[in-house]
Amino acid sequence: MAAAALDNLNPVVRERENVRRREEVPGLGSLASGAGPGTSAEDERELIDSIEVFEHIRDIADPEHPYSLEQLGVVSHEQIDVDDRGGKIEVRFTPTVAHCSMATLIGLCIRAKIMRVLPPRFKVKVELSKGSHSTEEAVNKQLNDKERVLAALENPNLLDLVNKCLAPTEC
Amino acid sequence: MACASTSGSSSSTESCVLAVLEGHRDRVWHVCWANAGDTIATCGGDRAIKLWRKTTQGDRKYQCVETLEKTHTKTIRRCGFSRCDSMLASVSFDATTCVWERPRGEQQHELLVTLEGHESEIKDLCWSQDGELLATCGRDKSIWIWLKEIDDQFECLDVLQGHTQDVKSVLFVPGTRALLSGSYDNTVRVWNEHDDEWVCTQTLDGAYQGHESTVWGLCCDAEGSRVLSCDAEGMILLWRVVRGDTEIALELVSRNMVPTKAALYSVDWSPSGLIATGMADNSISLLQAEKAEGSPEDPGASRQVLKLVKEIRGAHDGDVNCVRFNPKDPGVLASAGDDEVVKVWDVGALIQ
């Protein structure tokens, strides 16, 4: 890692938060994606909530620091709103510094992760939390233009970066 | 090439579906009709173009007759038939434009030429009405104008610079060589041609009561006298085309907001005057341009507004990326969605 290029040399690192976790069969948890969390098949479909979305994105690796987005305080479950029946997910994230050049890449990682694991019926909005970035409007516009997002994910270099950041979330 | 073909099913809106075209393996970005109205071409994230034709057995079915694939290496964003339907152009995120030709008497298309020049994703294309010119635009902020030469080769006539962000849509105004473009920079621009050079003569932005978000789509009425542009915040602007001796200009007629304020990815105007929109909330709306209330005199459609005729909620199980009326039969509409299918709608049944 090129330490000289870091936007924030000394980020505040947080403890992993103890949010309510779902009962999961060890090793089978990720198989439930797409159909909602699986308990028993006869049960009514369990609603997807902000905790579940948080579970998916908390361990995304920061593009420049050896920490997760949760550890750096970039994402938290309070910054996620889910309306399961309305099919809406809204994620706000807060870069460690307001001039963070990685903000778009972080947002792209969050979007890619949600696209891969949650049902496509959800309309997803990923935005910087208000006032958290010097070019907030431009970053938000890019992250919510689906054509730009999908094109970015077909760019091999960008996709490689995204996959590296998502790797810790896939174990 | 094996492809599926099915017909419509039951339930209220579903009974207005003439056919559901299944076969794409990723979102369908675009649908277009051959000018003869007998063939549909579709393209999308699976990097394939599919051609669908009405089958002779049973009049409510379309069949995939051809799949053009393994040429573009990324998403195919849009495709379009040339005026006489002999050629089909496709533009891709792989930065190339392919022109496919169906030789006279043949059933299958062959790749005629691959046009290179754009630096990055190409997002839209438009053939001129005389079939001589092909315009392409994309993320490199430029619009390229290609001339089809007699030997079926293509020469770049001009590269139009001016937009400050990616260009999402281009449209030749029927009967002219003038071009309109819509962009991520929130503007609609008018480009007039003199001696094979295009000059931006109007930049319609927020200061001109234009759009305040990404302009996703453009379309023109059958006469080439009115234009619609739609944007990411649910706004459709109606413009009048003012024709001078050598140039055209756009004049704003009305600003119209769809009730849901969802992003409008596509707009199309049927030969009979009905307007369709494809939206990010999975819906399709049918609209009509009407005289605004309290405007008795209406010289030159200067006071028209758009009225909602019918909203089709849940038209697709995902964003509706494109809507296109059959140019020969305005009673038939095709739509393409993120749900990987194309639907063909009975417009008459929808508005009853």
Side-chain angles (χ1 to χ4, degrees), chain A residues 123 138 141-142 145-148 150-152 154-156, chain B residues 47 75 77 121 166 168 184 186 214 280 282 319 321 338:
Chain A
K123 303 289 180 188
K141 183 169 184 173
Q142 206 168 340
D145 179 317
K146 77 168 186 179
E147 192 182 45
R148 304 251 324 208
L150 291 164
E154 276 192 303
N155 174 322
Chain B
R47 304 166 188 183
T75 286
R77 181 64 181 86
E121 296 93 292
D166 27 336
K168 298 283 200 188
Y184 185 89
N186 304 355
T214 299
N282 308 356
D319 295 355
N321 295 317
D338 269 3

Side-chain angles (χ1 to χ4, degrees), chain A residues 41-133:
Chain A
E42 298 83 50
D43 284 356
E44 264 187 53
R45 186 174 68 84
E46 200 175 328
L47 298 184
I48 289 169
D49 60 11
S50 63
I51 305 282
E52 178 172 354
V53 175
F54 181 58
E55 290 285 338
H56 287 301
I57 64 172
R58 66 193 299 180
D59 294 322
I60 295 173
D62 183 84
E64 23 175 45
H65 298 288
Y67 301 107
S68 70
L69 294 187
E70 178 190 17
Q71 286 174 306
L72 295 174
V74 176
V75 295
S76 66
H77 75 270
E78 292 93 347
Q79 292 199 92
I80 300 171
D81 289 311
V82 179
D83 170 6
D84 184 286
R85 290 203 171 81
K88 287 188 186 128
I89 296 175
E90 202 174 314
V91 178
R92 294 172 299 283
F93 67 104
T94 312
T96 59
V97 285
H99 56 271
C100 178
S101 58
M102 296 290 162
T104 315
L105 178 59
I106 293 170
L108 188 62
C109 289
I110 294 171
R111 204 168 248 293
K113 182 68 195 180
I114 292 173
M115 267 166 57
R116 287 180 192 179
V117 298
L118 293 174
R121 65 186 174 83
F122 282 103
K123 303 289 180 188
V124 182
K125 196 167 177 184
V126 175
E127 283 191 334
L128 288 156
S129 57
K130 282 218 172 7
S132 69
H133 201 270

Side-chain angles (χ1 to χ4, degrees), chain A residues 8-26:
Chain A
N8 183 359
L9 284 172
N10 292 302
V12 178
V13 179
R14 287 149 228 252
E15 295 271 322
R16 187 181 169 87
E17 199 186 350
N18 201 3
V19 294
R20 171 174 62 86
R21 295 203 77 137
R22 296 180 181 285
E23 302 281 316
E24 282 178 349
V25 183

Side-chain angles (χ1 to χ4, degrees), chain B residues 43-187:
Chain B
C43 61
D46 62 2
R47 304 166 188 183
I49 302 165
K50 287 183 180 286
L51 290 120
W52 313 78
R53 214 162 287 150
K54 257 186 159 177
T55 57
T56 42
Q57 313 98 312
D59 61 349
R60 297 210 147 186
K61 288 178 182 170
Y62 288 77
Q63 192 173 19
C64 178
V65 290
E66 205 179 343
T67 300
L68 309 172
E69 57 189 349
K70 299 189 174 78
T71 302
H72 283 297
T73 57
K74 292 182 180 174
T75 286
I76 305 178
R77 181 64 181 86
R78 277 188 167 104
C79 56
F81 286 97
S82 65
R83 197 66 198 162
C84 59
D85 294 333
S86 64
M87 290 187 189
L88 177 71
S90 56
V91 293
S92 164
F93 287 176
D94 71 8
T96 69
T97 300
C98 286
V99 181
W100 311 80
E101 188 187 32
R102 187 155 60 95
R104 198 176 284 271
E106 297 289 324
Q107 288 301 310
Q108 305 286 308
H109 283 80
E110 290 168 7
L111 181 64
L112 179 70
V113 63
T114 302
L115 308 176
E116 292 179 8
H118 280 285
E119 286 168 23
S120 50
E121 296 93 292
I122 311 180
K123 303 195 162 173
D124 196 12
L125 68 92
C126 186
W127 291 92
S128 63
Q129 206 176 25
D130 60 15
E132 274 198 348
L133 302 175
L134 175 67
T136 59
C137 65
R139 191 163 72 92
D140 63 7
K141 305 167 191 173
S142 70
I143 301 163
W144 289 54
I145 310 280
W146 308 86
L147 173 71
K148 181 168 75 85
E149 298 184 308
I150 297 161
D151 58 359
D152 282 347
Q153 291 304 298
F154 285 78
E155 180 202 353
C156 176
L157 280 186
D158 201 1
V159 177
L160 285 47
Q161 308 279 1
H163 279 292
T164 59
Q165 297 284 348
D166 27 336
V167 190
K168 298 283 200 188
S169 53
V170 280
L171 178 74
F172 278 109
V173 176
T176 75
R177 289 190 142 204
L179 190 75
L180 308 175
S181 57
S183 165
Y184 185 89
D185 69 11
N186 304 355
T187 69

Side-chain angles (χ1 to χ4, degrees), chain B residues 334-351:
Chain B
S335 61
D338 269 3
D339 55 0
E340 307 183 2
V341 304
V342 175
K343 289 186 177 177
V344 183
W345 302 84
D346 179 344
V347 177
L350 280 171
I351 59 180

